[in-house]
Amino acid sequence: MSTTAHHDGALEHLEESLEQHGLETRGIEPVPDSERTATPRGLLPTWIAANITVLLVTMGASLVVDFGLNFWQCLVVGVAAPTVAYGLVGLIGIAGRRGGAPGMALSRAVFGQRGNLLPGGLIWVARWGWETINAVTGAYALLTVLEILFGIRRNTVLIIVTLLLFVITTFAISGMGIKAVRYCNRWATWLFGAFSVLVLGRLIAVTDWAAVFGQRAGPVAAMVTGAGLIAAGGMSWTPTAPDFTRYLPGTAPSAAIVRNTVGGAGIVVLPLVLMGAVTASARPGLAKAADPVSFLGESLPLWLAVPYLLVALAGMLLINAMSMYSAGFTAQTLGFRVHRHWAVAVNAVISLLLGGVLMLAATSFMASFTAFLSLLAVAFSAWVGVFGVDMLRRREYDAAALLDTTRTSAYWYRAGFSPAAVAAWALGLATGLLFTTCDWFTGPLADGNPVGRYGLGWLATIVVSGLLYAVLPKPAVVPASAGKSAPLAV
């Protein structure tokens, strides 16, 4: 046996051993039919776990304090926002079932092998910010647990240590891969359910419901703005949706994918938003708290503060693990020729560094989060508009062409670019920024028009990029290679 053959055999044996112990060794290459054994029902705990964040409680409080909405308006916003945002996430997730590959790998078929580097690079950088926000929130939860239970007050060293512990734990889960993520998500679903029962019981007992229901209704424009802000958080998951559906068989129904995605998100978003809205009637400071985790933890009785903090910590761990899991794929599509778990490590280090800066230097956590969320939604929406319209004309993906980054790839197009996709993406992104305003940035058209006033720059981005891509001349759809798997469900 040659040295090369012996090395390849040893490597294959090592990968099989790692997979048996739960480590996912597959990278951006499409999943073969024999391994696509997941079910659409498994998406329910996935999207429940993706939304267990105390930031939704804070945003619910903001609907009352900053936007002037009453309970019933918050209820409408809490239903509409996840329906719109995660409806799009579910629809984009259908592409993962069709192609069996991560979202940014499938994106090569749309933008071209080189053209995909443009939205891929922007989305990867945006992931840094999302993971930093999550890491900071998780570290705050851990710091509050230490202070409430053991009287240990925070200092600079402790802040760095807790942030480091959070990031390492996140990396461990995301580095293990899809099996570890799914396992943790199932447990998080039960944990959130138990916590919701406790919170509901306490809110019923201590809330001044006359004050809650007696609040005046706010303007409809404020409802639109609030729904847009909450939906923007859900929009951040759209490029990663195929990452969690690629293990579904080709016969999995599209309706079930969308239904379980929207249902999983809605089960969490609505009660957390309403919890924030009800809490704000007695404690309006929640809407602007520099550290919302500690604010709530210190205001609750001990018997509820501890489970609340545990849920907050577990939720942020899993949200960050899912984000880093997808970020590893994005890094690989950008040319990082390393195993998926090492690609994940790059994002872990970045979130650790940026998280330290935010915790030690930022004066207003919520202001930083809201500003980042506005820009993040626009960055992702330009890709969604183009990719979503392309899904209407493309029923399958060529597995070989997705992995071939040379001139021989069927997805090379013109010098590695699809002119229609790149132009529509760039113009859509620019349009969205024109209508976007936040603490860090104000577009020249952000004021004095409905889109800018309602904070729907991300929606304008989807519409413009999608329409442009629909009308521009596009390369012919490349048929899948011979030997493609079973027929696809519609």
Side-chain angles (χ1 to χ4, degrees):
M1 180 182 292
S2 67
T3 302
T4 301
H6 177 75
H7 176 268
D8 291 343
L11 183 59
E12 182 177 347
H13 177 73
L14 176 61
E15 290 186 349
E16 290 177 355
S17 177
L18 290 173
E19 288 180 352
Q20 289 175 357
H21 288 84
L23 177 67
E24 182 184 13
T25 58
R26 186 173 304 285
I28 61 174
E29 66 273 16
V31 179
D33 291 347
S34 60
E35 297 180 23
R36 297 176 67 174
T37 58
T39 64
R41 187 177 299 175
L43 294 173
L44 194 69
T46 295
W47 296 112
I48 287 176
N51 285 278
I52 301 176
T53 168
V54 69
L55 297 177
L56 283 170
V57 180
T58 308
M59 294 171 77
S62 295
L63 294 179
V64 174
V65 177
D66 297 331
F67 295 90
L69 305 184
N70 65 17
F71 178 85
W72 302 112
Q73 289 176 311
C74 292
L75 177 63
V76 172
V77 169
V79 172
T83 300
V84 172
Y86 287 92
L88 287 171
V89 173
L91 289 172
I92 297 297
I94 295 170
R97 182 211 63 193
R98 290 178 178 176
M104 295 317 298
L106 297 174
S107 183
R108 288 173 166 177
V110 184
F111 290 88
Q113 293 289 357
R114 287 178 173 172
N116 191 52
L117 298 177
L118 299 174
L122 184 59
I123 288 173
W124 190 52
V125 171
R127 280 274 160 230
W128 300 353
W130 187 243
E131 289 155 11
T132 298
I133 293 290
N134 293 337
V136 168
T137 308
Y140 276 142
L142 186 53
L143 286 167
T144 306
V145 168
L146 293 175
E147 185 169 348
I148 290 178
L149 294 183
F150 306 106
I152 302 175
R153 296 193 173 276
R154 67 186 64 180
N155 54 55
T156 301
V157 174
L158 190 59
I159 287 174
I160 299 301
V161 170
T162 53
L163 184 63
L164 180 62
L165 287 173
F166 182 89
V167 172
I168 289 175
T169 306
T170 298
F171 170 68
I173 297 172
S174 56
M176 287 290 290
I178 193 65
K179 290 183 179 179
V181 171
R182 287 176 182 161
Y183 178 81
C184 293
N185 286 349
R186 285 194 294 270
W187 278 103
T189 298
W190 289 107
L191 182 64
F192 176 76
F195 166 73
S196 298
V197 171
L198 290 175
V199 171
L200 178 61
R202 182 175 187 273
L203 286 179
I204 291 175
V206 305
T207 298
D208 182 355
W209 292 103
V212 171
F213 292 124
Q215 183 168 337
R216 286 184 179 182
V220 174
M223 292 178 65
V224 176
T225 305
L229 177 63
I230 294 175
M235 285 297 302
S236 67
W237 289 109
T238 43
T240 68
D243 305 1
F244 303 102
T245 56
R246 66 185 190 134
Y247 282 93
L248 292 173
T251 53
S254 299
I257 294 174
V258 177
R259 182 173 61 250
N260 284 284
T261 301
V262 174
I267 287 172
V268 182
V269 173
L270 178 59
L272 288 184
V273 166
L274 292 181
M275 175 185 170
V278 171
T279 303
S281 65
R283 300 184 65 86
L286 173 60
K288 299 184 182 299
D291 176 0
V293 180
S294 300
F295 184 93
L296 276 172
E298 294 170 357
S299 64
L300 294 172
L302 185 62
W303 64 269
L304 186 56
V306 173
Y308 154 74
L309 291 166
L310 289 176
V311 168
L313 183 58
M316 299 316 300
L317 274 172
L318 293 178
I319 291 173
N320 229 29
M322 289 176 62
S323 182
M324 282 192 183
Y325 174 73
S326 294
F329 295 134
T330 305
Q332 287 182 315
T333 63
L334 294 176
F336 286 77
R337 298 186 180 278
V338 294
H339 286 294
R340 182 193 57 79
H341 45 277
W342 290 119
V344 170
V346 175
N347 272 60
V349 172
I350 292 172
S351 66
L352 177 63
L353 296 175
L354 295 181
V357 171
L358 183 58
M359 292 187 77
L360 297 174
T363 57
S364 176
F365 176 81
M366 198 59 200
S368 300
F369 171 69
T370 303
F372 166 72
L373 202 60
S374 301
L375 297 177
L376 178 73
V378 173
F380 287 178
S381 297
W383 179 89
V384 171
V386 175
F387 190 88
V389 170
D390 186 81
M391 283 181 60
L392 300 177
R393 60 193 287 269
R394 188 186 305 273
R395 308 300 302 168
E396 55 190 2
Y397 297 84
D398 187 323
L402 287 175
L403 300 179
D404 182 3
T405 58
T406 69
R407 297 176 182 274
T408 61
S409 175
Y411 297 141
W412 187 253
Y413 304 130
R414 293 185 184 177
F417 295 82
S418 169
V422 173
W425 170 80
L427 291 172
L429 178 62
T431 301
L433 292 176
L434 290 177
F435 291 104
T436 299
T437 181
C438 65
D439 287 355
W440 305 338
F441 174 84
T442 299
L445 302 180
D447 295 323
N449 64 80
V451 175
R453 187 165 64 251
Y454 298 161
L456 298 178
W458 60 270
L459 184 58
T461 306
I462 293 177
V463 172
V464 171
S465 59
L467 288 177
L468 284 175
Y469 184 67
V471 300
L472 290 173
K474 293 169 283 295
V477 174
V478 178
S481 302
K484 184 71 179 174
S485 58
L488 301 168
V490 295

